[in-house]
């Protein structure tokens, strides 16, 4: 530690020991950095005093400081000792700046003229800071990324303590930092962005290049850490705040969480527009990440409620609850996180008599909060009597009817809707109140301009007031009749007005019928009153020329069909026509009806109306080809539901189509479809062994189809899965071990692996190998690499393991695989098979004994037929004929006691127990060698025939020709 006495030559001589000792002490602990910084400043001052004019002592200190600093510039990121040294440098710059400021303040106090003291004084510290910044700026251009990172890190930590620096140096610093925010290393961009954000105060109020550069990083930088650094450090003002709010939709959940926990709490929500508040809260409460959702609720409960002076009513008023789609979710989440808020609220009679939209919204939210938790005591505490609710509904209904100001009518409609929602939560214990409420509901539903959401709420209340479903239907049928018989309020002489009124009455009637049917579960019969509504209202609407009536009619007819299977079969063709030929809503509702009816009754029972089950599914496939993304998502979700419920007769075909569609490049932007299928495939495969068997059945064919489909990906669409990645994922869904593990976890028992279930998994390997022989080279490579993902074990059936080995050996000797990586993968798979078969090496396999096993006949016949096909292909290339192959088979039948196919197979599978092959011939196909040998033999026979006499020549020629035939 340097002494406090004035410096001398010994001070300069001691720099080589004192400065390293301070750096060494600083990197051991972070607690004494300020003490070490003060010691460095004292040493620096002493060195300056040695030669104040020539500054030789000061230069010596600077050189020694830089020499020690160089030792940490190349150390990797997050090294604790290096980070502590960097912190020491930043602390030293800060302490030097503070001491300079104190010296300036003392100079002002000592001088009578306050303005005579120059604040821009050249000091030891200012000269050192300028030297340090210039030196670090040189490191910005270093080739080593660690050096660039450490230089940017030191500047970022020291920039707030620079004090007054040269103007040219200031602009050089901004320019160099702007270059570094485009560095290829994210860690360098992070520190450069932090340093730049601290230099924003030097710009004009309108902003400048620094703010523009930071906003560019915030929006477009691929690194989440860089975006987070800008988000936390950028200056929050009206010009930057919209870009900051966009981070509520950042792809990184940590960034979204930082926005709600650190960035937004200090900002008064009154500075945001209502639209910005709505978007921010919608992003937060609807976030998938539970931590982000909690952070949003915490922001509302601790920050926004504080800015609202702990007044929930004022906070609710800032959300525009009348038109807000998210306010209800916000309050429910707020009450869940802070249950003391609803517990401390009380509503007296004065509150009910002076209801406002915000107040009734709070009351309804609290009652809904307790209703979902089935807290009857709290509901009874806050819920008024039925008579009181009826009086309030009548009062606000009268106000709405008499209100002429169109701007106030939405408020009254909102209050009425909230009161109806509150009434739905009542048990109606008072008989007198029940009767009054029922009479009021029937009266309100007849109001001509009643909103549709109020019709639905009234229908729910009447259903709750009814004795049973038949009583409910009777009441509602009377209501529909009253609606249709309402007296006209327009001049009947004006034809257009009368037609419009009739249209509105028909629409209202169909709305009520729709809500009735949605709440009915008994089977629809011809004698029921609902059947009368079907013939009087629904069927005419379907046949109407008005599109809006057709939409409502199709929807109501579909609901009727859900209650009557025969009605569904009779009208299925109508729904098909609506799905294929309808426009906009009619097409969507027709398609939805088809999917719902198929889910209810199954495709097999409904398909008779359109032909067969394949025809029914074909109609849905057609929507994939011709529909927009919304329609594709609807059909995809519908087919997934049908597969999950086992409503499709041939599930394998549909599952394969969904798999191809899932990976198809054309659906890369259809997030709704892909999200649905992402959940469906593992849920379907791991639900039951039968489902997984279907997945195993289509795995190989799907992988092969994807080989051609994924070639359509353009350079901009390469974010999708490759064929290899898709293959690995599909094989994982086919893995019975995962299914066993999930079943064991759900049941709490240890899963036992079944040989039968592993047999289906092993069969997948057999199917894969068979397809390898005929697949394209790229697909062949993927299939071979997929074999090692099967992870077969001792529970696999032994016969299937033998079949796998036969196919693997045949594939190896066919030499269809040319690249080294795939050959090595096939070799590893063969080695694993030998280990499971308990055979040391391939030459020890006894193929003759396997030929006698009946279970092995199919694989031997496959290899034999495959060799025949391969021989035919190669013969075409060598100008040979198919007759040669037939002759070869005939001769083999005479020379060998085994079947011809078996003889051919033994010639193709060259293992030690079968037929040895000379080393000079092993580079060619065994089947090709047999062909060449047979051709040579036939050539010799022809030569012998030509040398014989005419009679013998004729006889031998006929024999030869018969052999060819």
């Amino acid at each position: 530690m340097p002494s406090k006495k004035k410096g001398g030559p010994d001070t300069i001589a001691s720099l080589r020991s004192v400065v390293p000792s301070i750096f060494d002490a600083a990197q051991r602990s972070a607690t004494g950095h300020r003490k070490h910084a003060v010691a460095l400043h004292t040493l620096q001052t002493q060195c300056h005093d040695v030669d104040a004019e020539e500054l030789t002592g000061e230069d010596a200190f600077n050189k020694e400081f830089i020499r020690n600093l160089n030792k940490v510039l190349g150390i990797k990121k997050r090294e604790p000792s290096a980070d502590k040294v960097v912190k020491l440098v930043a602390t030293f710059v800060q302490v030097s700046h503070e001491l300079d400021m104190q010296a300036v303040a003392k100079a002002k106090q000592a001088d009578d003229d306050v303005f005579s003291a120059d604040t821009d004084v050249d000091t030891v510290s200012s000269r050192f800071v300028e030297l340090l910044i210039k030196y670090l700026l040189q490191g910005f251009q270093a080739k080593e990324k660690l050096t660039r990172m450490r230089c940017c890190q030191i500047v970022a930590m020291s920039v707030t303590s620079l004090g007054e620096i040269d103007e040219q140096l200031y602009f050089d610093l901004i320019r160099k930092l702007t270059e570094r925010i485009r560095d290829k290393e994210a860690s360098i961009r992070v520190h450069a962005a932090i340093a730049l954000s601290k230099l924003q105060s030097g710009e004009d109020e309108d902003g400048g290049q620094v703010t523009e550069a930071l906003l560019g990083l915030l929006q477009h930088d691929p690194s989440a850490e860089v975006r987070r650094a800008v988000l936390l450090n950028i200056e929050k003002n009206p010009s930057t705040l919209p870009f900051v709010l966009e981070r509520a939709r950042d792809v990184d959940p940590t960034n979204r969480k930082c926005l709600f926990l650190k960035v937004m709490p200090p900002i008064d929500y009154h500075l945001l527009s209502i639209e910005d508040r709505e978007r921010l809260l919608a992003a937060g409460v609807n976030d998938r990440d539970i931590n982000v959702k909690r952070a949003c609720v915490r922001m509302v409960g601790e920050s926004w409620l504080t800015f609202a002076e702990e007044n929930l009513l004022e906070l609710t008023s800032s959300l525009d609850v009348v038109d807000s789609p998210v306010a209800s979710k916000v309050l429910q989440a707020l009450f869940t996180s802070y249950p003391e808020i609803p517990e401390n609220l009380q509503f007296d009679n004065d509150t009910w008599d002076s209801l406002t939209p915000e107040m009734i919204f709070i009351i309804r939210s609290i009652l809904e909060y307790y209703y979902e938790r089935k807290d009857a005591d709290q509901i009874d505490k806050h819920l008024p009597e039925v008579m009181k609710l009826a009086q309030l509904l009548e009062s606000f209904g009268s106000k709405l009817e008499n209100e002429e100001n169109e701007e106030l009518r939405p408020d009254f409609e909102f209050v009425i809707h909230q009161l109806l929602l509150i009434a739905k939560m009542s048990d109606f214990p008072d008989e007198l109140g029940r009767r009054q409420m029922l009479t009021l509901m029937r009266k309100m539903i007849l109001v001509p301009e009643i909103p549709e959401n109020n019709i639905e709420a009234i229908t729910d209340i009447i259903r709750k007031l009814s004795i049973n479903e038949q009583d409910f239907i009777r009441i509602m049928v009377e209501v529909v009749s009253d609606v249709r018989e309402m007296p006209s309020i327009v001049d009947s002489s004006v034809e257009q007005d009368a037609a419009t009124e009739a249209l509105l009455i028909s629409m209202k009637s169909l709305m009520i019928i729709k809500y009735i049917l949605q709440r009915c579960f008994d089977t629809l019969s011809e004698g029921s009153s609902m059947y009368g509504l079907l013939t009087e209202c629904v069927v005419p609407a379907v046949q109407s020329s008005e599109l809006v009536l057709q939409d409502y009619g199709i929807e109501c007819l579909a609901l009727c069909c859900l209650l009557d299977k025969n009605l569904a079969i009779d009208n299925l063709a109508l729904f098909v026509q609506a799905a294929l030929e309808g426009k906009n809503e009619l097409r969507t509702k027709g398609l939805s009806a088809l999917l719902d009816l198929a889910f209810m009754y199954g495709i097999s029972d409904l398909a008779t109306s359109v032909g067969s089950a394949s025809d029914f599914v074909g109609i849905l496939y057609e929507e994939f080809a011709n529909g927009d993304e919304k329609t594709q998502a609807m059909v995809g979700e519908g087919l997934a539901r049908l597969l999950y419920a086992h409503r499709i007769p041939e599930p394998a075909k549909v599952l394969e189509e969904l798999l191809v569609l899932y990976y198809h490049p054309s659906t890369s932007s259809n997030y709704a479809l892909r999200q649905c299928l992402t959940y469906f495939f593992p849920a379907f495969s791991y639900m039951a062994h039968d489902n997984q068997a279907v997945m195993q059945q289509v795995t190989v064919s799907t992988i092969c189809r994807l080989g051609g489909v994924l070639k359509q990906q353009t350079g901009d669409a390469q974010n999708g899965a490759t064929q290899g990645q898709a293959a690995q994922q599909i094989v994982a869904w086919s893995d019975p071990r995962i299914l066993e593990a999930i079943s064991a976890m759900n049941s709490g028992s240890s899963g036992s692996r079944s040989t039968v279930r592993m047999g289906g998994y092993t069969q997948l390997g057999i199917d894969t190998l068979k397809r390898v022989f005929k697949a394209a080279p790229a697909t062949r490579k993927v299939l071979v690499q997929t074999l090692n993902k099967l992870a077969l074990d001792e529970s696999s059936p032994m016969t299937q393991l033998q079949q796998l080995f036969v196919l693997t050996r045949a594939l190896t000797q066919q030499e269809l695989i040319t690249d080294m990586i795939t050959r090595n993968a096939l070799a590893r798979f063969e080695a694993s098979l030998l280990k499971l078969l308990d055979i040391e090496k391939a030459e020890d396999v006894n193929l003759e004994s396997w030929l006698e096993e009946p279970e092995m006949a199919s694989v031997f016949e496959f290899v034999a037929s495959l060799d025949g096909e391969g021989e035919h292909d190669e013969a075409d290339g060598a100008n040979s004929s198919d007759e040669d192959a037939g002759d070869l088979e005939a001769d083999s039948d005479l020379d060998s006691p085994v079947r011809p196919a078996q003889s051919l197979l033994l010639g193709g599978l060259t293992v030690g127990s079968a037929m040895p092959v000379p080393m000079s011939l092993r580079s060619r196909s065994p089947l090709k060698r047999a062909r060449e040998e047979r051709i040579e033999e036939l050539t010799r026979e022809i030569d012998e025939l030509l040398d014989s006499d005419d009679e013998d020549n004729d006889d031998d020629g006929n024999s030869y020709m018969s052999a060819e035939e």
Side-chain angles (χ1 to χ4, degrees), residues 699-718:
T699 294
V700 177
S701 57
T702 302
I703 294 173
C704 293
R705 286 183 61 183
L706 289 176
V709 168
L710 296 180
K711 288 181 180 179
Q712 303 175 19
Q713 290 191 144
T714 60
D716 297 334
Q718 290 299 323

Side-chain angles (χ1 to χ4, degrees), residues 607-622:
T608 55
S609 301
V610 293
S612 63
S614 300
D615 296 331
F616 188 95
V617 176
I619 295 171
L620 301 178
Y621 287 163
E622 188 173 343

Side-chain angles (χ1 to χ4, degrees), residues 236-239 241-242 245 263-277 280 304 307 318:
K236 312 304 185 295
N237 55 47
S239 62
L241 203 53
L245 295 178
V263 178
M264 295 308 300
I267 302 175
D268 190 346
Y269 71 90
H270 294 99
L271 300 176
L272 306 178
S273 64
I274 293 179
E275 292 77 9
D276 289 339
R277 298 173 204 163
L280 181 65
W304 287 21
F307 286 119
S318 65

Side-chain angles (χ1 to χ4, degrees), residues 478-493:
E478 294 177 0
V479 169
V480 174
S481 299
D482 293 341
V483 170
R484 298 179 65 196
E485 295 174 0
M486 287 179 60
S488 176
I489 59 176
V490 299
D491 188 359
S492 58
S493 61

Side-chain angles (χ1 to χ4, degrees), residues 894-905:
L894 296 175
D895 298 337
S896 175
V898 297
R899 298 193 308 268
Q902 293 174 339
S903 175
L904 184 63
L905 177 65

